Amino acid sequence: MELDNEGAATNGDISKEIGDINLAYMLLAQKLAKQDRAAAMYRLGVGRELADLLANMSLTQIVKMAASNFLLCSFRLDDHPMFAVFGEEKDTTLQQAHMSILVSARKIQSREADAMA
């Protein structure tokens, strides 16, 4: 990554890095959707329609979409309880189980909120 005179990354470098992340993410998302649609939907936090779309995209479509200078993926760790799951004293299996419970609970809460709206 190139730095300008003040040590900040140039916009071109950032855009390229975002494109690289997008491409890796889209290829992984497609692989998950093709291998196990239900698991992909859960892990990616997407519905059936989007999982089907991902599974059926051509490489050309994926590359074009990845070229965006906006991140196509997003963090789902936007509340403090999820960060509390990761501690040095906990084993990896327990951390993964905790994270699965938190993500599942969030999905249920979201569906309940949608149903009430």
Side-chain angles (χ1 to χ4, degrees), residues 5-114:
N5 291 340
E6 277 120 41
T10 61
N11 284 340
D13 292 333
I14 296 293
S15 290
K16 183 188 177 318
E17 290 178 22
I18 288 172
D20 292 346
I21 290 169
N22 284 343
L23 182 59
Y25 177 76
M26 291 297 295
L27 291 172
L28 176 61
Q30 184 177 58
K31 182 177 181 179
L32 286 169
K34 284 182 176 183
Q35 286 180 352
D36 185 342
R37 191 78 36 104
M41 290 167 55
Y42 176 74
R43 289 181 172 173
L44 298 170
V46 300
R48 179 170 300 281
E49 189 175 323
L50 186 52
D52 290 340
L53 182 66
L54 283 167
N56 295 311
M57 289 178 77
S58 70
L59 182 57
T60 302
Q61 290 172 314
I62 288 174
V63 169
K64 282 182 182 179
M65 187 174 229
S68 167
N69 63 351
F70 294 98
L71 280 174
L72 299 176
C73 57
S74 65
F75 287 102
R76 288 193 275 174
L77 301 174
D78 59 352
D79 53 5
H80 296 290
M82 288 203 185
F83 283 106
V85 167
F86 297 99
E88 292 184 29
E89 69 281 350
K90 294 181 181 176
D91 73 36
T92 305
T93 305
L94 183 58
Q95 288 175 346
Q96 290 174 352
H98 263 152
M99 186 60 79
S100 293
I101 291 166
L102 289 170
V103 169
S104 295
R106 175 185 275 173
K107 283 187 175 193
I108 291 168
Q109 289 172 344
S110 176
R111 286 184 187 149
E112 288 174 351
D114 289 345

